């Protein structure tokens, strides 16, 4: 039987200071990551990125800079796969379709108290910091994405 990797939109938002939005998960102590979420059937990765970003952070004042054409795949560790199976999921990992957004709004727009909160805190930091903070099994995915997005953030004409 073929292994199933869930299609997922990964979202990197950067601001006028060229810092990225880091969000602290509700369910794992001191665990920071970028917003992300599943891509629905028939939905593009960009549409999913917009939807998930609004659902998780309430942000809508963003301009798309780049969506990576190829997903970057990661596998869950065995304990996570087992926990996912108990919750009815059959994927062994995720294929991340990354989108980079420039944030044109004000921090007051960020609201983590959403209908289904996933994060309890946020802060702005560097891409390098995000690669260090992410859980071990996602580090390679974050490094690969970062290698492609860092130059774009650096060269972006701030408006």
């Amino acid at each position: 039987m073929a292994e199933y990797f869930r299609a997922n939109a990964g979202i990197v938002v950067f601001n006028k200071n060229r810092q990225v939005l880091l969000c602290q998960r509700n369910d794992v102590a001191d665990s920071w990551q970028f917003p992300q979420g599943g891509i629905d059937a028939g939905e593009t990765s960009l549409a999913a990125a917009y939807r998930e970003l609004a659902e998780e952070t309430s942000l809508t004042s963003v301009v798309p800079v780049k969506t990576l054409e190829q997903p970057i795949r990661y596998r869950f560790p065995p304990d996570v796969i087992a926990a996912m199976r108990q919750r009815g999921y059959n994927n062994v990992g995720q294929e991340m379709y990354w989108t980079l957004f420039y944030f044109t709004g004000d921090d007051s727009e960020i609201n983590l108290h959403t209908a289904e909160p996933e994060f309890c805190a946020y802060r702005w930091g560097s891409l390098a910091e995000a690669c260090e903070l992410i859980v071990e099994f996602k580090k390679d995915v974050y490094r690969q994405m970062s290698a492609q997005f860092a130059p774009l953030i650096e060269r972006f004409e701030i408006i």
Side-chain angles (χ1 to χ4, degrees), residues 20-136:
V20 295
L21 180 66
L22 303 168
C23 297
Q24 184 178 15
R25 293 177 58 106
N26 277 340
D27 59 347
V28 182
D30 201 33
S31 180
W32 294 80
Q33 68 176 50
F34 292 125
Q36 68 175 58
I39 300 173
D40 294 336
E43 187 176 40
T44 66
S45 60
L46 179 59
Y50 273 113
R51 178 182 51 75
E52 287 290 341
L53 184 62
E55 287 176 4
E56 295 181 359
T57 67
S58 303
L59 289 183
T60 58
S61 299
V62 292
V63 175
V65 175
K66 172 85 175 176
T67 297
L68 298 183
E69 293 179 22
Q70 297 298 317
I72 306 172
R73 182 181 278 190
Y74 70 87
R75 176 183 295 280
F76 294 128
D79 61 320
V80 174
I81 291 173
M84 298 285 285
R85 296 265 191 273
Q86 288 182 343
R87 293 183 3 221
Y89 297 100
N90 64 352
N91 56 310
V92 297
Q94 299 196 90
E95 290 184 330
M96 301 291 295
Y97 291 82
W98 288 98
T99 297
L100 176 65
F101 288 109
Y102 174 62
F103 179 47
T104 61
D106 182 88
D107 280 12
S108 63
E109 184 178 331
I110 301 171
N111 172 26
L112 304 179
H113 303 289
T114 59
E116 296 180 34
E118 295 196 27
F119 302 117
C120 59
Y122 78 90
R123 63 186 170 94
W124 296 96
S126 69
L127 267 177
E129 182 180 14
C131 292
E132 292 305 315
L133 290 173
I134 193 64
V135 295
E136 190 64 36

